[in-house]
Amino acid sequence: MLVVMQPNASAADIDKVCDEIVRQGFKPLPMPGAVRTAIGLLGDDAQVDWSYIEGLPGVANVLIVQKPYRQASREWKNENTIVEIAPGVRVGGSDVVVFAGPCSVESEAQILASAHAVRNAGAHALRGGAFKPRSSPYAFQGLGLEGLKLLALARNETGLAIVTEAMDERGADLVAEYADCIQIGARNMQNYSLLRHVGKLGKPVLLKRGMAATINDLLLSAEYVLSEGNPNVILCERGVRTFDSATRNLFDLTAIPVVQKLSHLPIMADPSHGTGLRDKVTPMARAAVAAGADGILVEVHPTPDKALSDGAQSLYPEQFTELVRQLRLIAGAIDRQLAPTPVR
Ligand code: PEP
Ligand code: MN
């Protein structure tokens, strides 16, 4: 439920509504806007006496949010949310951002070479997993804490923001210490205790769509993070499983405008996991920006044939450089622009 105040409502009117919400056993969330304040009511609001609240001084109207994911919905908040993951790296505004790097952090030389290559090409953040969710327990699982330290070193050298995955609560605490944005991977999109935990940490969260998740499921998962008081959620389409084995996943480009209609949260696209095939990454990255994605997440490796994970879908640095050049043109064609490269 959302209590919309009149534009001339006083601070005392707002306080009175908040007090009434507390009196009824709920939590108020005042959201000052450019023209007027709205006050969200958090909790299971089916039992609220909203007609009383509607009669309080300064109240314009009470909106019953129909969507199950409430705070993630456009009914709750109409203007686009911009998530600033590091100074100047804003996701969800008119700038388009590029997060790039290897699937996994493998060594100091590999991550530094990746960081320099993607930065020189125009990326804004370095991605790379230190904790890897692998289908096989015998596959490379990531360097763990050592990987996080290498990412921090790469940030120092290049000025790039750092995005890396957390697979559990303990890992999330470590990631929050070293990185700028916590990635929650497809396999953990419905790990509700992890979502609540990163909601409490307050760090920006990149939430990837589960491989069999509907968009409703994705937005409900985002709601878990928002409901803990963390508004900094970036959604990411990364393909869903289907019957066709021609590509690793079915990259659902339609998810971009669908999410944008339903939610104010930024939405990025990951054509690397979305397709699983290097030669399909560039066309689908171009298409994602054309479709309105707020940014792309793309795997780039200095030597993909030697990569310890996802080499087959990783771009060579030269391919990535050419992709960023093209994305700049595509963003311009839809009245957007690539974000400026962060200062070192
Ligand atoms: C990744 O980004 O390397 C990754 C494991 O992605 P996803 O969770 O989308 O499979
Ligand atoms: Mn990967």
Side-chain angles (χ1 to χ4, degrees):
M1 214 179 84
L2 203 60
V3 183
V4 182
M5 301 302 291
Q6 291 163 359
N8 60 355
S10 67
D13 293 339
I14 294 168
D15 285 349
K16 196 152 187 208
V17 171
C18 290
D19 290 347
E20 175 57 23
I21 291 172
V22 172
R23 198 189 64 76
Q24 291 197 30
F26 299 91
K27 201 170 157 229
L29 180 69
M31 292 176 284
V35 182
R36 56 193 181 177
T37 293
I39 304 166
L41 186 148
L42 304 178
D44 178 6
D45 59 17
Q47 306 304 323
V48 178
D49 179 2
W50 60 267
S51 58
Y52 180 77
I53 294 175
E54 201 159 39
L56 290 173
V59 173
N61 60 316
V62 171
L63 290 176
I64 310 292
V65 178
Q66 303 292 346
K67 295 285 190 294
Y69 37 81
R70 308 207 183 140
Q71 291 188 62
S73 74
R74 278 234 188 249
E75 295 165 75
W76 185 275
K77 179 170 179 268
N78 190 40
E79 49 314 350
N80 289 341
T81 287
I82 298 178
V83 178
E84 186 163 31
I85 66 163
V89 184
R90 282 184 283 272
V91 191
S94 65
D95 286 357
V96 173
V97 295
V98 179
F99 296 179
C103 181
S104 305
V105 181
E106 299 168 3
S107 67
E108 179 174 329
Q110 175 253 15
I111 198 65
L112 291 182
S114 305
H116 284 290
V118 301
R119 189 192 186 282
N120 291 341
H124 308 98
L126 176 67
R127 61 138 295 145
F131 300 103
K132 292 305 301 177
R134 304 305 302 280
S135 302
S136 163
Y138 307 116
F140 176 61
Q141 304 285 307
L143 298 180
L145 178 59
E146 182 54 27
L148 296 180
K149 290 182 177 166
L150 293 176
L151 286 167
L153 177 69
R155 173 177 44 208
N156 279 349
E157 284 217 1
T158 60
L160 290 170
I162 301 296
V163 182
T164 192
E165 179 162 357
M167 296 196 336
D168 52 32
E169 278 112 301
R170 208 165 57 87
D173 292 344
L174 286 173
V175 167
E177 225 177 281
Y178 287 90
D180 299 291
C181 180
I182 306 174
Q183 179 173 322
I184 302 294
R187 292 158 189 79
N188 270 314
M189 189 206 81
Q190 285 174 309
N191 181 341
Y192 300 120
S193 56
L194 179 59
L195 295 173
R196 282 196 193 279
H197 188 78
V198 297
K200 290 193 184 86
L201 290 176
K203 272 256 161 181
V205 173
L206 178 76
L207 178 63
K208 298 185 90 176
R209 181 180 183 179
M211 50 188 94
T214 63
I215 286 169
N216 196 59
D217 294 335
L218 173 64
L219 293 172
L220 279 166
S221 288
E223 190 75 13
Y224 269 88
V225 181
L226 300 176
S227 71
E228 293 295 335
N230 183 353
N232 300 310
V233 178
I234 303 164
L235 305 169
C236 184
E237 163 61 35
R238 49 76 75 206
V240 289
R241 281 272 165 90
T242 180
F243 51 85
D244 195 339
S245 57
T247 54
R248 182 175 176 183
N249 288 298
L250 183 69
F251 186 46
D252 180 11
L253 272 182
T254 321
I256 296 158
V258 169
V259 164
Q260 284 170 336
K261 177 97 186 255
L262 297 171
S263 178
H264 52 87
L265 296 173
I267 170 107
M268 294 184 64
D270 171 355
S272 304
H273 295 86
T275 64
L277 301 165
R278 183 178 304 121
D279 65 332
K280 310 296 183 290
V281 172
T282 290
M284 297 321 285
R286 294 189 299 229
V289 171
D294 294 305
I296 61 156
L297 184 74
V298 61
E299 287 184 340
V300 180
H301 195 289
T303 47
D305 44 320
K306 297 204 179 79
L308 297 182
S309 60
D310 286 350
Q313 66 193 33
S314 298
L315 295 184
Y316 287 90
E318 316 78 77
Q319 292 177 309
F320 177 67
T321 302
E322 175 59 9
L323 170 61
V324 176
R325 187 190 70 78
Q326 295 176 349
L327 294 182
R328 215 176 278 291
L329 299 174
I330 294 167
I334 54 167
D335 300 324
R336 297 181 82 168
Q337 57 283 318
L338 283 201
T341 308
V343 277
R344 220 174 283 242

